Amino acid sequence: MTSRFTELTVDCHDPERLAAFWCDVLDFKVIDRSEGKVEIGSWVPTVEDVRARQMSPTLLFIQVPEGKTVKNRLHLDVSPIDGSTEDEVTRLLNLGATKTDVGQGADRNWVVMADPEGNEFCVLRTLAPQN
């Protein structure tokens, strides 16, 4: 008996806005939406695909009335694939992210950021081919 990691759910005030931000960050598409919920992913999961092998989870944004009050205990890490970490940070700032301090210190090789609703995430080293 086993389970699959199929979705990561994010509570938020504005699922449409947050889904649009993360679609731009990850090059995902909206795969499902209903009242107060938007699901995005790099693929459209089917039961057969999920049962056959572990696939990338989708992100599900669900509207909740309460706001974020403390640092997330779970966060996403993203790695640029076709540019430098610095270039990616600039791109994400232009999409509406902000840099944030969660006590990481200045001598780190990653950058801690927050999405438009304040959820922290990290931009790690670039995976772009090196010339």
Side-chain angles (χ1 to χ4, degrees):
M1 182 181 274
T2 190
S3 294
R4 296 277 194 243
F5 178 19
T6 55
E7 294 97 25
L8 178 64
T9 301
V10 178
D11 291 350
C12 60
H13 282 288
D14 188 344
E16 291 288 342
R17 177 177 179 225
L18 217 49
F21 171 82
W22 282 104
C23 279
D24 287 341
V25 172
L26 300 171
D27 194 26
F28 278 16
K29 304 290 183 233
V30 172
I31 59 174
D32 192 29
R33 65 170 33 102
S34 60
E35 183 68 31
K37 296 180 190 177
V38 180
E39 186 174 12
I40 67 172
S42 61
W43 66 299
V44 178
T46 66
V47 171
E48 294 77 21
D49 287 336
V50 171
R51 290 181 53 88
R53 64 194 174 285
Q54 182 64 59
M55 301 292 288
S56 300
T58 61
L59 294 175
L60 178 62
F61 299 96
I62 297 180
Q63 188 174 35
V64 297
E66 67 274 0
K68 181 179 175 309
T69 58
V70 297
K71 176 182 170 280
N72 293 6
R73 297 211 39 201
L74 177 71
H75 69 266
L76 300 179
D77 289 341
V78 299
S79 297
I81 59 168
D82 55 9
S84 71
T85 299
E86 295 77 20
D87 289 342
E88 184 65 358
V89 167
T90 299
R91 184 179 82 87
L92 298 175
L93 289 169
N94 289 331
L95 291 176
T98 56
K99 289 184 179 180
T100 191
D101 185 349
V102 294
Q104 70 270 19
D107 61 341
R108 301 292 181 228
N109 62 354
W110 67 87
V111 178
V112 180
M113 302 189 81
D115 71 17
E117 288 203 15
N119 300 298
E120 298 90 8
F121 66 97
C122 294
V123 181
L124 305 181
R125 73 204 170 283
T126 184
L127 301 177
Q130 301 301 309
N131 296 334

